[in-house]
Amino acid sequence: MPIVGTKEMFARANKEGYAVGAFNVNDMEIVQGIVDAAKEEKAPLILQVSSGARKYARPGYLVHLVKAAEEDSGLPIALHLDHGDDFEICKSCVDGGFTSVMIDGSKYDFEENIKLTKQVVEYAHSKGVVVEAELGKLAGIEDAVNVSEADAKFTNPEQAAEFIKRTGVDSLAIAIGTSHGAYKFKGEAKLDFARLEQIMKLIPAGYPLVLHGASSVPQELVEKCNQYGGKMPGAKGVPEDFLRKAAGMGVAKINIDSDLRLAMTASIREVFAKTPEEFDPRKYLGPARDAIKAVVKNKLKNVLGCSGKA
Ligand code: G3H
Ligand code: 13P
Ligand code: ZN
């Protein structure tokens, strides 16, 4: 099977009330760790490449790794550009073999975001590639001091419906209180589920929503990092229960990067601390790959509910 788009993946996920995991990839060990987990869980996958990852790995390299992963696993795998910030990078990825691209116009005002998203949708659709856009600003709820501030940052349900209609975009990332990175909440973790419900009511039935900033920052991994010389005090993520709830409410794609970084770093730190004489990279990248596999396996099976759905 060639690498696939996300249309069918999302349609099934929404019908059956689970979410597809979208995991960020930067190198071979990360790709393999994720795919090893998905193979065992027989889960569909989205492997996503940020512009930073593409620059780091150099254009082309990650595309070939993802193609190799698809050949090795036989799983439905989509290759997605994460947070494309202009038309050019989206076009370059469409032309370079990606099956899905994100145009992130969330930093622009509503009309400008619509204009840019439409431009990408027109080009991508002409080449059979699907598009994700973003409306609203990712920010932890603790940053929103009061309701009117939350209203200013989080996705406006009426605007979400209008945005989808006017752009023809295939999926939409929404802001309901998650944020990127390992420090998501200063106090109690909270997401605006009432807003998500309202958005669902106003958009077409079965339309796929996307949740960015969905790492749960497992505390045992933070402790392991810190135990072996790391410094990540107060790291905190989205509780797994919240993600299960979002998946059941129509969120079809859940983005995870920080948890993979954490698993990889904790594992490498442990090898370095326990065997300082070791200098063969396979001796620390191999365990790091296994640590990523373990994190992803747990997500697919116990959080996203997509085991057996490939
Ligand atoms: O959305 C952010 C992702 O975690 C990608 O991060 O831009 O550092 O590759 P990055
Ligand atoms: P995390 O930082 O929570 O892993 O979010 C990743 C993400 O949203 C990638 O687009
Ligand atoms: Zn993101």
Side-chain angles (χ1 to χ4, degrees):
M1 177 191 295
I3 51 172
V4 296
T6 53
K7 248 192 169 47
E8 284 166 22
M9 278 185 196
F10 290 162
R12 182 165 175 202
N14 261 343
K15 212 163 115 201
E16 298 184 24
Y18 63 88
V20 181
F23 300 95
N24 286 71
V25 298
N26 296 277
D27 68 11
M28 183 188 78
E29 283 76 12
I30 299 176
V31 171
Q32 290 177 335
I34 298 164
V35 173
D36 287 350
K39 266 205 283 194
E40 285 186 14
E41 291 305 316
K42 298 186 174 47
L45 263 188
I46 298 169
L47 295 177
Q48 53 188 15
V49 174
S50 69
S51 50
R54 189 167 177 262
K55 199 165 159 200
Y56 170 79
R58 300 173 195 166
Y61 279 72
L62 293 170
V63 176
H64 287 284
L65 278 175
V66 171
K67 284 185 178 157
E70 184 284 319
E71 280 167 25
D72 165 46
S73 67
L75 292 170
I77 299 181
L79 172 58
H80 174 75
L81 167 69
D82 190 28
H83 294 284
D85 51 18
D86 56 27
F87 175 77
E88 278 65 38
I89 189 170
C90 292
K91 179 179 186 300
S92 172
C93 288
V94 167
D95 296 343
F98 284 58
T99 55
S100 171
V101 292
M102 175 185 189
I103 175 68
D104 181 356
S106 62
K107 60 178 177 292
Y108 299 114
D109 68 29
F110 186 61
E111 290 300 329
E112 196 61 29
N113 192 354
I114 287 187
K115 197 169 142 204
L116 178 61
T117 301
K118 256 179 98 168
Q119 189 191 8
V120 173
V121 166
E122 269 162 33
Y123 186 74
H125 283 185
S126 76
K127 305 280 178 185
V129 169
V130 288
V131 181
E132 172 185 327
E134 180 165 323
L135 188 64
K137 306 228 175 345
L138 287 204
I141 254 177
E142 81 286 357
D143 297 331
V145 188
N146 54 43
V147 176
S148 63
E149 287 208 14
D151 267 345
K153 282 183 174 166
F154 294 169
T155 307
N156 174 298
E158 282 84 17
Q159 280 191 344
E162 185 182 340
F163 189 93
I164 291 166
K165 203 166 162 191
R166 286 176 59 193
T167 59
V169 76
D170 303 281
S171 60
L172 184 68
I174 49 155
I176 56 166
T178 59
S179 58
H180 291 117
Y183 302 88
K184 300 186 191 297
F185 303 100
K186 287 190 197 103
E188 191 197 341
K190 266 190 236 157
L191 292 187
D192 193 343
F193 283 109
R195 186 176 297 266
L196 173 57
E197 214 173 327
Q198 192 57 22
I199 295 169
M200 291 308 300
K201 269 193 201 143
L202 299 181
I203 64 176
Y207 188 87
L209 294 177
V210 180
L211 195 63
H212 282 244
S215 276
S216 25
V217 190
Q219 289 305 295
E220 66 276 13
L221 293 181
V222 175
E223 278 155 27
K224 193 168 168 182
C225 253
N226 291 341
Q227 179 187 351
Y228 294 112
K231 214 176 196 177
M232 302 188 65
K236 195 170 183 176
V238 182
E240 291 184 345
D241 275 355
F242 288 12
L243 300 173
R244 283 187 203 102
K245 183 168 170 180
M249 287 173 75
V251 168
K253 173 176 180 267
I254 289 195
N255 281 17
I256 294 160
D257 186 5
S258 295
D259 285 355
L260 311 184
R261 296 178 178 194
L262 197 52
M264 187 166 202
T265 302
S267 166
I268 291 174
R269 280 193 179 283
E270 183 180 21
V271 176
F272 283 174
K274 286 186 174 165
T275 51
E277 70 286 1
E278 194 52 74
F279 71 101
D280 177 345
R282 294 169 297 185
K283 295 290 179 354
Y284 51 86
L285 293 177
R289 176 171 60 190
D290 293 342
I292 288 172
K293 177 183 172 187
V295 163
V296 174
K297 215 170 141 71
N298 174 58
K299 302 276 177 210
L300 299 173
K301 195 172 165 176
N302 303 319
V303 183
L304 307 176
C306 56
S307 293
K309 307 290 186 184

PDB file of all heavy atoms in Angstrom, residues 24 48 82-83 102 104 134 138 180 211-213 255, ligand 3:
ATOM      1  N   ASN A  24       5.121  13.151  15.810  1.00  0.00           N
ATOM      2  CA  ASN A  24       6.170  13.893  15.104  1.00  0.00           C
ATOM      3  C   ASN A  24       7.428  13.056  14.956  1.00  0.00           C
ATOM      4  O   ASN A  24       7.852  12.381  15.902  1.00  0.00           O
ATOM      5  CB  ASN A  24       6.513  15.177  15.872  1.00  0.00           C
ATOM      6  CG  ASN A  24       5.422  16.214  15.718  1.00  0.00           C
ATOM      7  OD1 ASN A  24       4.345  16.064  16.265  1.00  0.00           O
ATOM      8  ND2 ASN A  24       5.685  17.255  14.948  1.00  0.00           N
ATOM      9  N   GLN A  48       4.131  12.840  11.253  1.00  0.00           N
ATOM     10  CA  GLN A  48       4.162  14.239  10.836  1.00  0.00           C
ATOM     11  C   GLN A  48       5.532  14.859  11.028  1.00  0.00           C
ATOM     12  O   GLN A  48       6.271  14.540  11.941  1.00  0.00           O
ATOM     13  CB  GLN A  48       3.063  15.046  11.515  1.00  0.00           C
ATOM     14  CG  GLN A  48       2.987  14.960  13.017  1.00  0.00           C
ATOM     15  CD  GLN A  48       1.746  15.656  13.556  1.00  0.00           C
ATOM     16  OE1 GLN A  48       0.803  15.967  12.807  1.00  0.00           O
ATOM     17  NE2 GLN A  48       1.717  15.927  14.850  1.00  0.00           N
ATOM     18  N   ASP A  82       3.446  19.239   9.541  1.00  0.00           N
ATOM     19  CA  ASP A  82       2.907  19.820  10.780  1.00  0.00           C
ATOM     20  C   ASP A  82       3.268  21.319  10.831  1.00  0.00           C
ATOM     21  O   ASP A  82       4.439  21.680  10.672  1.00  0.00           O
ATOM     22  CB  ASP A  82       3.562  19.065  11.956  1.00  0.00           C
ATOM     23  CG  ASP A  82       2.923  19.383  13.292  1.00  0.00           C
ATOM     24  OD1 ASP A  82       1.729  19.718  13.321  1.00  0.00           O
ATOM     25  OD2 ASP A  82       3.637  19.269  14.323  1.00  0.00           O
ATOM     26  N   HIS A  83       2.271  22.168  11.047  1.00  0.00           N
ATOM     27  CA  HIS A  83       2.487  23.621  11.183  1.00  0.00           C
ATOM     28  C   HIS A  83       3.246  24.265  10.021  1.00  0.00           C
ATOM     29  O   HIS A  83       4.239  24.976  10.243  1.00  0.00           O
ATOM     30  CB  HIS A  83       3.232  23.942  12.495  1.00  0.00           C
ATOM     31  CG  HIS A  83       2.435  23.632  13.714  1.00  0.00           C
ATOM     32  ND1 HIS A  83       1.399  24.414  14.167  1.00  0.00           N
ATOM     33  CD2 HIS A  83       2.517  22.593  14.581  1.00  0.00           C
ATOM     34  CE1 HIS A  83       0.875  23.876  15.249  1.00  0.00           C
ATOM     35  NE2 HIS A  83       1.530  22.755  15.519  1.00  0.00           N
ATOM     36  N   MET A 102      -0.484  20.756   6.751  1.00  0.00           N
ATOM     37  CA  MET A 102      -1.171  21.723   7.614  1.00  0.00           C
ATOM     38  C   MET A 102      -0.698  23.115   7.228  1.00  0.00           C
ATOM     39  O   MET A 102       0.505  23.369   7.140  1.00  0.00           O
ATOM     40  CB  MET A 102      -0.811  21.480   9.084  1.00  0.00           C
ATOM     41  CG  MET A 102      -1.401  22.534   9.993  1.00  0.00           C
ATOM     42  SD  MET A 102      -0.852  22.323  11.689  1.00  0.00           S
ATOM     43  CE  MET A 102      -1.919  23.516  12.510  1.00  0.00           C
ATOM     44  N   ASP A 104      -0.796  26.581   8.929  1.00  0.00           N
ATOM     45  CA  ASP A 104      -1.119  27.171  10.234  1.00  0.00           C
ATOM     46  C   ASP A 104      -1.170  28.689  10.099  1.00  0.00           C
ATOM     47  O   ASP A 104      -0.164  29.387  10.229  1.00  0.00           O
ATOM     48  CB  ASP A 104      -0.072  26.745  11.269  1.00  0.00           C
ATOM     49  CG  ASP A 104      -0.386  27.308  12.651  1.00  0.00           C
ATOM     50  OD1 ASP A 104      -1.366  28.088  12.774  1.00  0.00           O
ATOM     51  OD2 ASP A 104       0.341  26.978  13.605  1.00  0.00           O
ATOM     52  N   GLU A 134      -5.732  25.740  11.184  1.00  0.00           N
ATOM     53  CA  GLU A 134      -5.887  25.984  12.630  1.00  0.00           C
ATOM     54  C   GLU A 134      -6.602  27.304  12.860  1.00  0.00           C
ATOM     55  O   GLU A 134      -6.317  28.310  12.213  1.00  0.00           O
ATOM     56  CB  GLU A 134      -4.507  26.001  13.306  1.00  0.00           C
ATOM     57  CG  GLU A 134      -4.594  26.258  14.812  1.00  0.00           C
ATOM     58  CD  GLU A 134      -3.300  25.919  15.557  1.00  0.00           C
ATOM     59  OE1 GLU A 134      -2.627  24.929  15.188  1.00  0.00           O
ATOM     60  OE2 GLU A 134      -2.974  26.643  16.513  1.00  0.00           O
ATOM     61  N   LEU A 138      -3.272  28.282  20.599  1.00  0.00           N
ATOM     62  CA  LEU A 138      -3.010  27.261  21.622  1.00  0.00           C
ATOM     63  C   LEU A 138      -2.463  27.964  22.851  1.00  0.00           C
ATOM     64  O   LEU A 138      -1.495  28.708  22.778  1.00  0.00           O
ATOM     65  CB  LEU A 138      -1.953  26.261  21.129  1.00  0.00           C
ATOM     66  CG  LEU A 138      -2.344  25.250  20.070  1.00  0.00           C
ATOM     67  CD1 LEU A 138      -1.436  24.044  20.141  1.00  0.00           C
ATOM     68  CD2 LEU A 138      -3.789  24.798  20.165  1.00  0.00           C
ATOM     69  N   HIS A 180       1.608  23.554  23.319  1.00  0.00           N
ATOM     70  CA  HIS A 180       2.744  22.709  22.952  1.00  0.00           C
ATOM     71  C   HIS A 180       3.753  22.618  24.105  1.00  0.00           C
ATOM     72  O   HIS A 180       3.808  23.494  24.949  1.00  0.00           O
ATOM     73  CB  HIS A 180       3.460  23.290  21.724  1.00  0.00           C
ATOM     74  CG  HIS A 180       2.646  23.186  20.468  1.00  0.00           C
ATOM     75  ND1 HIS A 180       2.211  24.269  19.768  1.00  0.00           N
ATOM     76  CD2 HIS A 180       2.203  22.101  19.793  1.00  0.00           C
ATOM     77  CE1 HIS A 180       1.523  23.872  18.704  1.00  0.00           C
ATOM     78  NE2 HIS A 180       1.491  22.555  18.700  1.00  0.00           N
ATOM     79  N   LEU A 211      -6.570  17.906  17.685  1.00  0.00           N
ATOM     80  CA  LEU A 211      -6.093  18.470  18.950  1.00  0.00           C
ATOM     81  C   LEU A 211      -4.567  18.461  18.966  1.00  0.00           C
ATOM     82  O   LEU A 211      -3.939  17.402  18.994  1.00  0.00           O
ATOM     83  CB  LEU A 211      -6.641  17.640  20.121  1.00  0.00           C
ATOM     84  CG  LEU A 211      -6.548  18.296  21.495  1.00  0.00           C
ATOM     85  CD1 LEU A 211      -7.391  19.577  21.561  1.00  0.00           C
ATOM     86  CD2 LEU A 211      -6.996  17.336  22.595  1.00  0.00           C
ATOM     87  N   HIS A 212      -4.005  19.673  18.934  1.00  0.00           N
ATOM     88  CA  HIS A 212      -2.546  19.804  19.071  1.00  0.00           C
ATOM     89  C   HIS A 212      -2.201  19.871  20.564  1.00  0.00           C
ATOM     90  O   HIS A 212      -3.083  20.029  21.406  1.00  0.00           O
ATOM     91  CB  HIS A 212      -2.076  21.100  18.398  1.00  0.00           C
ATOM     92  CG  HIS A 212      -2.007  20.988  16.906  1.00  0.00           C
ATOM     93  ND1 HIS A 212      -0.835  21.089  16.209  1.00  0.00           N
ATOM     94  CD2 HIS A 212      -2.975  20.763  15.995  1.00  0.00           C
ATOM     95  CE1 HIS A 212      -1.081  20.936  14.925  1.00  0.00           C
ATOM     96  NE2 HIS A 212      -2.382  20.742  14.761  1.00  0.00           N
ATOM     97  N   GLY A 213      -0.911  19.762  20.854  1.00  0.00           N
ATOM     98  CA  GLY A 213      -0.463  19.930  22.242  1.00  0.00           C
ATOM     99  C   GLY A 213      -1.045  18.876  23.156  1.00  0.00           C
ATOM    100  O   GLY A 213      -1.431  19.164  24.286  1.00  0.00           O
ATOM    101  N   ASN A 255      -2.309  15.047  18.330  1.00  0.00           N
ATOM    102  CA  ASN A 255      -0.886  15.279  18.027  1.00  0.00           C
ATOM    103  C   ASN A 255       0.015  15.071  19.235  1.00  0.00           C
ATOM    104  O   ASN A 255      -0.209  15.678  20.291  1.00  0.00           O
ATOM    105  CB  ASN A 255      -0.710  16.734  17.587  1.00  0.00           C
ATOM    106  CG  ASN A 255      -1.110  16.970  16.157  1.00  0.00           C
ATOM    107  OD1 ASN A 255      -1.802  16.157  15.550  1.00  0.00           O
ATOM    108  ND2 ASN A 255      -0.675  18.079  15.600  1.00  0.00           N
TER     109      ASN A 255
HETATM  110 ZN    ZN B   3       1.034  21.432  17.040  1.00  0.00          ZN
END
